[in-house]
Amino acid sequence: MTITTRPQLATGGPWGWRSIDIVTVAILGVALGVAFWGWDAVYGILSPVFAVYPPSSSLALGVWLLPAVVGGLVIRRPGAALFCEFIAATVEALLGNQWGFNVLVSGFLQGLGVEIAMAVLVWRNWTVVVAVLGGLLAAFLELTVWEWWVYQPNHSWPQRLAALGFALLSGALIAGIGGWLLVRALARTGALEAFPPGRERLAGQA
């Protein structure tokens, strides 16, 4: 089996939201929000390692950007990335975490970054390029609009820029490439046949 490289567009055009789109993006958001809860615990365990050089903690950011990239790539409609990321952040907040409801602000900024990337390409390009661009913009907004001022107020500017560099790397690799690979893996299970990634898999069958 091979998978076509020709991206499929959302049924009915980008703005034609269906009930199944809303339900699916909500399910993805909840599932990834629960995963966040587990990742929060892992992050806590790794905190002493990051404390050696505090800006390095931004290497973990990419995991929290995944819902926006995955939701956007699966549904391929305006708002899907933001919707999925905000639901995941809400679930994370309700389950409890070390940042409290501040994660809702992060969820909004992260989802917005991916939305901007997809809007720039007019919801027509669904290759790994848009996934990486989304991860980069989500990381950029999260650091420069929020974390520099709330979580890193005592960092020097060299430390803030280093944190941004680590965040961009994590956003590109974990959220961008990782999210794109995760969507392809889900498509191979047959779970996404009602969505463009599933149609791409079917179109690529020998």
Side-chain angles (χ1 to χ4, degrees), residues 2-142:
T2 58
I3 296 181
T4 179
T5 58
R6 181 173 179 270
Q8 296 283 322
L9 304 182
T11 300
W15 298 96
W17 278 83
R18 305 168 298 172
S19 296
I20 191 172
D21 297 325
I22 298 171
V23 171
T24 300
V25 78
I27 291 172
L28 286 171
V30 170
L32 290 168
V34 173
F36 278 179
W37 184 62
W39 181 241
D40 292 344
V42 173
Y43 180 85
I45 294 171
L46 294 175
S47 290
V49 177
F50 293 138
V52 175
Y53 184 58
S56 66
S57 65
S58 292
L59 286 170
L61 179 64
V63 174
W64 286 293
L65 308 181
L66 276 170
V69 174
V70 171
L73 289 179
V74 170
I75 307 300
R76 302 189 181 181
R77 300 186 191 279
L82 182 57
F83 185 20
C84 193
E85 186 71 42
F86 197 75
I87 288 176
T90 301
V91 171
E92 180 185 17
L94 293 175
L95 289 176
N97 65 87
Q98 52 266 60
W99 303 283
F101 281 85
N102 279 347
V103 298
L104 298 182
V105 178
S106 291
F108 174 78
L109 291 171
Q110 293 160 10
L112 180 61
V114 177
E115 288 289 344
I116 291 172
M118 295 178 175
V120 165
L121 297 171
V122 203
W123 297 280
R124 291 291 187 272
N125 185 323
W126 301 105
T127 64
V128 69
V129 173
V130 74
V132 170
L133 180 59
L136 288 170
L137 289 177
F140 181 81
L141 287 182
E142 171 67 12

Side-chain angles (χ1 to χ4, degrees), residues 13 74 115 122 131 140 147 150 156 163 181 194 205:
V74 170
E115 288 289 344
V122 203
F140 181 81
E147 293 199 10
V150 177
S156 65
L181 290 174
Q205 287 181 337

